[in-house]
Amino acid sequence: MKSVLVFFIALLGEGTLLAQVPEAFTYQGVASDLNGVALPNQNISLQVGFFHDQVTGAPRYQERHFTSTNALGIYTLRLGEGFVVIGSWDSIRWESKPVVLQIEADMSG
């Protein structure tokens, strides 16, 4: 019984070593004006930057999205699938450093 338990623990550990970085992931936010009022049913553009450690200098990767908000002002993006501005998705070192996300929005679309 003890050897079976050790086998399963080793198997679980092996699975974490084979984990892969996602090619994209979902991000949701609420678009609002300067007073915090949600902007429903509006076309917006967003620029998303990925930095290591802190938001200084040029991002490792940056992409642009054009989308619309729903009736509650909520938008949904697939980060990693936008229009590339700088760098490449593969240049983000997810495993070695903290990754900081910066979202810039143009509420006029």
Side-chain angles (χ1 to χ4, degrees):
M1 179 66 179
K2 186 176 181 181
S3 62
V4 172
L5 181 61
V6 170
F7 172 75
F8 282 115
I9 291 172
L11 187 62
L12 289 173
E14 181 66 22
T16 59
L17 295 176
L18 298 176
Q20 296 180 4
V21 174
E23 294 189 21
F25 60 91
T26 303
Y27 176 88
Q28 275 192 326
V30 177
S32 59
D33 64 16
L34 295 175
N35 297 317
V37 177
L39 301 172
N41 305 314
Q42 185 164 331
N43 293 328
I44 61 173
S45 63
L46 299 121
Q47 190 160 280
V48 183
F50 293 82
F51 296 80
H52 285 168
D53 296 324
Q54 56 187 329
V55 181
T56 58
R60 296 289 280 187
Y61 174 72
Q62 189 174 56
E63 63 185 26
R64 189 168 290 138
H65 292 264
F66 301 93
T67 190
S68 299
T69 61
N70 67 11
L72 300 174
I74 298 171
Y75 61 88
T76 303
L77 307 176
R78 289 279 300 159
L79 300 183
E81 296 178 356
F83 297 97
V84 177
V85 176
I86 296 172
S88 71
W89 186 256
D90 294 336
S91 70
I92 304 169
R93 298 289 166 236
W94 303 98
E95 71 285 352
S96 63
K97 295 184 176 188
V99 177
V100 179
L101 186 66
Q102 178 186 49
I103 307 286
E104 300 173 90
D106 178 357
M107 299 308 169
S108 65

